[in-house]
Every structure is written in C-alpha cells, then in structure tokens.
Amino acid sequence: MAQPQLNGAYYGPSIPPPQQKSHHRPTHNDNGGGGCGLCSCFCGCFRCCCGCIANCILGLICKILTTIIIIAAVAGFLFWLIVRPNVVKFRVTEASLTEFTYTNNTLHYNLALNITVRNPNSRVGLYYDSIETTAFYHDARFASQNLGNFFQHKKNTTVLSPVFKGQQVVPFSEEQGKKLNEDQGSEIYRINVKLLLKVRFKLGLFKTGKVTPKVRCELHVPLKSRNGTVSGAGFQATGCEWWIH
C-alpha cells in the first residue's frame, strides 16, 4: 500500500526532559539531625510552665487584695455603725472689740472671744494636745495665742476664751487700707480667726494618733465705744468650718 503524502514535517510524541536528582542537606531545624527538636520541645514546655506560674501568682495577688478591700470596707462600716462619729462643732458665741486703730503701720487691737467647742459623740472623747489661735485682718496676721491642752468628754461643750490685745507692725497693702477705711466707716470689722489643733480621739481603751485639723471663723465684729455700747444689732453668733490638714 502506498504511503500517503505528508504536508510539512512530522513530529512524534514529545519526550519529557530527564529529571535532575536533588541532593537534600539536613538543616539544624530537622528533627533528625543532632537532637534539636528535643531542645525546642523542652523550651516550649518551660515557657508554658512559667506562664502558668505567673498567672497563678497574679490571680492569688488579686484575690488577696480583693479580700483585704472587702474586709476593710466591712470593718469601716461596722465601726461607723457602732460609733456613729459626728463632726466636732466650733462656734463663736461672743466677740468684744474695744480697740482697732491703725497708725504708722502699727495696728492697736483689743479683741476678746468666746468659742464653744461641742463634742456631739456619745462614744468618742477627744484629747486636745494643743490649740493655737491666730487672728487675721484681710489675710494680714496681727495676733496669736496658745490655749494649752485638755480632754473633752463625750457629749460635752467646752468654752475657749482667747484674748488678743496689744500692738503689731502690720504693713497693710493699698487694698487692705481701703478695706480698713470701709470698716472704720461702718464700725464693723471683718476679722478671721483660725485655730490649728492637734487632736487624738479616744474610743474606750483605744486612742488614735494625732491629727491636725484647722478651724476657720469668719467674723464681723462691731467696735464697742468707751461706754460699752455698739452700733447696730451687735455681734451675731457665728459658726466655724473645719477640715483635716
């Protein structure tokens, strides 16, 4: 039989290229080479154990702090429930100003006060280790007096009677001079009295450490004439405010 004629070149099936042999070199990360896989496993377990221990310690610390806070809150509430502490009240009931003149930068003054100190607590007594009273005229200090120490019993009212008398060089500013002229016109002087206390509280046999509260009394004191009379309605009893320093 005659072969059919072929148009163009004839190609048989393609021959795949020969495969190259790969040479594998062991690396340090292979588990088969020098036991490095065991080391990695040990390090991972060590980190895991350290993390668990740290979490346990932090959790224990949080539980201890929470317990302490709860115990302190409960103890404070029980203390308040049993003792029912009330703030000590200071009040200026009487004020007598017989002299308040200012000449040549020198202030001449004579001021006497009665200050009631009320302890309203039924279970707490107070040790007043020291009481320092200081008088100011528009922030200019002009006199001070120490009143000593005493113990104040429960449900007790004590009267303090500081007297400020004398003269003091006080260089008033221009603004303070204007205030003085206004007060001289009205014959009512705006005087502030501050008390610096050192106090201890006594509950049964228990005594606290010293605290240093401050008391501020803002007064409007009328000037008495030589015959003892005052203009207007006279001095009005004034309450004082206090805070822990």
Side-chain angles (χ1 to χ4, degrees):
M1 180 181 294
Q3 294 282 347
Q5 293 184 351
L6 301 175
N7 294 327
Y10 172 76
Y11 299 95
S14 60
I15 300 174
Q19 295 183 353
Q20 296 181 354
K21 294 182 179 181
S22 61
H23 299 280
H24 178 72
R25 294 182 179 180
T27 62
H28 294 290
N29 296 328
D30 292 339
N31 294 333
C36 292
L38 180 61
C39 180
S40 299
C41 180
F42 176 77
C43 292
C45 293
F46 180 75
R47 286 194 296 268
C48 181
C49 291
C50 289
C52 291
I53 293 173
N55 290 335
C56 290
I57 293 175
L58 290 176
L60 181 61
I61 292 174
C62 290
K63 290 179 180 179
I64 292 174
L65 291 178
T66 303
T67 303
I68 291 174
I69 292 173
I70 293 175
I71 292 175
V74 172
F77 175 74
L78 291 176
F79 177 82
W80 175 85
L81 195 64
I82 296 172
V83 178
R84 296 290 180 93
N86 294 301
V87 176
V88 178
K89 298 178 181 179
F90 290 78
R91 185 177 180 84
V92 180
T93 56
E94 296 181 24
S96 174
L97 182 65
T98 57
E99 183 180 11
F100 205 82
T101 57
Y102 185 72
T103 56
N104 298 324
N105 289 334
T106 302
L107 182 65
H108 301 262
Y109 53 88
N110 189 351
L111 173 65
L113 304 174
N114 279 343
I115 305 173
T116 60
V117 184
R118 175 64 180 171
N119 176 16
N121 296 284
S122 59
R123 293 183 175 88
V124 179
L126 294 97
Y127 288 96
Y128 295 89
D129 293 326
S130 71
I131 301 177
E132 180 183 357
T133 58
T134 308
F136 295 82
Y137 182 76
H138 293 287
D139 296 328
R141 174 177 172 171
F142 65 87
S144 64
Q145 183 183 7
N146 290 318
L147 300 180
N149 57 76
F150 64 95
F151 175 76
Q152 187 175 35
H153 294 276
K154 300 169 284 186
K155 292 288 186 179
N156 177 265
T157 300
T158 303
V159 179
L160 307 177
S161 300
V163 176
F164 307 101
K165 182 178 181 180
Q167 60 185 34
Q168 180 69 35
V169 176
V170 185
F172 284 162
S173 65
E174 182 179 353
E175 182 65 24
Q176 289 168 334
K178 291 180 180 179
K179 297 295 184 182
L180 179 61
N181 291 332
E182 293 175 2
D183 291 352
Q184 286 175 340
S186 64
E187 294 188 339
I188 298 177
Y189 292 85
R190 289 164 284 184
I191 298 174
N192 293 333
V193 175
K194 296 180 181 179
L195 291 82
L196 178 60
L197 315 173
K198 292 183 179 179
V199 181
R200 291 175 295 148
F201 298 93
K202 181 178 183 294
L203 174 61
L205 299 177
F206 176 75
K207 299 177 184 178
T208 68
K210 290 183 181 180
V211 295
T212 55
K214 284 185 175 181
V215 179
R216 179 184 176 92
C217 309
E218 298 183 354
L219 310 176
H220 292 76
V221 186
L223 180 66
K224 285 186 177 182
S225 63
R226 291 183 178 180
N227 58 10
T229 61
V230 296
S231 60
F235 177 76
Q236 302 295 318
T238 305
C240 307
E241 58 179 4
W242 79 303
W243 66 97
I244 300 295
H245 178 60

